[in-house]
Amino acid sequence: MKSVEEHLASCLRGIEVLSPIELQLLDAQGCVLAEDIVASTDLPVFDNSSMDGYAVHSVDVASASPTNPVLLPVVGDIPAGSSAMQRLAPGTAVRIMTGAPLPAGADAVVQVELTDGGVAKVSINGAVPAGRHVRRGGDDVLRGDVVLTTGTRLGPRQIGLLAAIGRDRVLARPKPRVVVLSTGSELVEPGSSAAGGQIWDSNSFLITTAAREAGAVAFRIGIVPDEPKQLLDTIEDQLIRADLVVTTGGVSVGAYDVVKEVMSRLGTVEFDRISMQPGMPQGRGVIGPDRTPIFTLPGNPVSAYVSFEVFVRPVIRQLLGAKTIYRPEVRAASLTGFSSPAGKRQFARGALGVEDGRYVVTPLDGQGSHRVRDLAYANSLIVVPEDVTEVPEGGTVKVMVLERRLT
Ligand code: AMP
Ligand code: MG
């Protein structure tokens, strides 16, 4: 049997970050930037008003008060989007809207609430200091600033900044495309009726969404029966759009476990027994003309999911160029005692929480690798080393955190 470390190392070997491509902003969400972004403009691009009101020379309104208002002629209107008007003469005001360019000469904006709202003349009943309600050009970004650096993961706020400086596309590493299929002649689609030994395919939904959560573009191909020819044809059809293929089921030693048989015809795939629970039978290798990486995960849903978390998620993260490829780990006190198999690393489903400022974890009862309800309640995996057979109540354990939301 191979250790988890040995298998993980062979999974990651030869996996290289995908080459950058030009992406439209909306397609770049979740991708890693592959260039430094230099602003070709100031932001704000021009001095503008942060209020609806009147642009003035502040000295003209220095004496204004409710009992002693200042009356100024209104020489025009500047809506947002209009190009700046000519210089504002001293002793005059111009109506200005939020975001509209400030005319030269004006140094402050009197908000409309401090005025009578006049159109030809305006009565101003409060003073404003120079600079009031004015957003200065370049106070946010200066032309030539490096606003984002290579390696930054592009989320909504970064994409908003790119658009604000006028960029419509960027050089970024694309998301890996992951093709997911379930093998098993017993499988039927959720939503259809399952009779006589049939079960609903859950793995491909579990793994497709887990791959998306890891940052991939995942395609659920769905169910392929345990027929070598059909499996072979399906995988060959899908290779064209895959950076990675993930299958579940068919890797045990049963008479209809066809995955092993088919892989030898597609490429080089090694099948190993890994000293872990769940997830002992694992296959990995490369197939097709482009030597596309493939992972063949065991069929039990919990085994498939744990295998994905331990081996496939780091591979997806590495393809993405992510800064961190592993899940965060914490140490926690186990709220109940439990036993663990000798010679295997156990990944027990856990409910992780915080009590009195320290992490505590409750192992979930049903640890059988077919039990999907406890998997759904888990927010973490408790990692019990190979040489530990008993975790006592209150004992310290290592916990892989799957979700930020703790119990
Ligand atoms: P296998 O590795 O193909 O022998 O499958 C092991 C167990 O997992 C069997 O009980 C299968 O019925 C079950 N299983 C396999 N694939 C799936 C799937 N896609 N969804 C749910 N259960 C599955
Ligand atoms: Mg099967």
Side-chain angles (χ1 to χ4, degrees), residues 182-183 186-187 199-203 248-252 257 298-301:
S182 293
T183 70
E186 74 277 31
L187 304 175
I199 60 167
W200 289 288
D201 165 32
S202 57
N203 286 349
T248 68
V251 290
S252 329
D257 288 331
N300 272 308

Side-chain angles (χ1 to χ4, degrees), residues 382-405:
I382 306 170
V383 187
V384 187
E386 290 76 349
D387 59 349
V388 173
T389 52
E390 280 299 325
V391 174
E393 183 183 325
T396 301
V397 285
K398 195 167 81 175
V399 181
M400 193 169 142
V401 186
L402 304 173
E403 267 184 38
R404 273 204 211 131
R405 183 165 39 91

Side-chain angles (χ1 to χ4, degrees), residues 329-387:
E329 286 182 348
V330 299
R331 302 193 78 78
S334 181
L335 288 180
T336 56
F338 62 102
S339 54
S340 182
K344 287 187 176 181
R345 186 173 306 180
Q346 188 186 21
F347 294 89
R349 277 66 72 205
L352 180 68
V354 176
E355 249 178 50
D356 300 330
R358 52 173 210 149
Y359 286 114
V360 291
V361 68
T362 308
L364 297 170
D365 264 335
Q367 297 286 355
S369 52
H370 60 292
R371 303 182 70 139
V372 289
R373 180 162 68 173
D374 279 333
L375 182 64
Y377 293 168
N379 60 5
S380 57
L381 295 173
I382 306 170
V383 187
V384 187
E386 290 76 349
D387 59 349

